[in-house]
Amino acid sequence: MKRQPKLTKRERKALAPARPQQQHQHQHQHIHCIACGRHLDEAEFEAPATATIITCDHGSNFPSCVKCMPQAMAAVKEHDRTNQPVKTAGAWH
Ligand SMILES: [Zn+2]
Ligand SMILES: [Zn+2]
Ligand SMILES: [Zn+2]
């Protein structure tokens, strides 16, 4: 008799691919550039990328247009330095 090894919930969770966390942003469906507020499509993160993710020192991810990277990086750096929420631009479409 064959026994399938069973994974515990925790083990299954550990095997699941890591997803970008957006805990500072609470944007689950919509991704917006933190610097300019532009709506970013998931496809924009694929090559040729026009959008990118910036990770802060706490490991949180912040989406940004490639064009906005200098401003977005500065905002994330400021957040890491001051421990305040990242100053994000108002989202628009
Ligand atoms: Zn949106
Ligand atoms: Zn932008
Ligand atoms: Zn952070």
Side-chain angles (χ1 to χ4, degrees):
M1 186 174 112
K2 247 192 204 168
R3 260 203 204 170
Q4 293 273 343
K6 265 198 184 165
L7 292 177
T8 65
K9 253 187 190 166
R10 190 176 293 170
E11 281 168 331
R12 259 191 308 231
K13 220 177 177 184
L15 286 176
R19 291 201 185 172
Q21 290 173 2
Q22 295 181 345
Q23 40 184 297
H24 291 308
Q25 299 231 92
H26 306 285
Q27 288 170 0
H28 301 289
Q29 303 293 325
H30 286 259
I31 309 168
H32 287 258
C33 170
I34 61 166
C36 73
R38 186 174 72 85
H39 180 88
L40 304 172
D41 264 327
E42 270 182 58
E44 295 193 50
F45 294 90
E46 288 156 24
T50 50
T52 188
I53 297 281
I54 296 164
T55 307
C56 76
D57 283 354
H58 316 98
S60 296
N61 295 319
F62 300 96
S64 152
C65 311
V66 167
K67 275 186 194 163
C68 294
M69 263 192 91
Q71 295 101 285
M73 290 273 254
V76 171
K77 253 192 192 164
E78 171 89 0
H79 148 80
D80 282 328
R81 198 170 56 80
T82 60
N83 228 356
Q84 297 295 309
V86 173
K87 287 179 199 122
T88 55
W92 58 277
H93 287 115

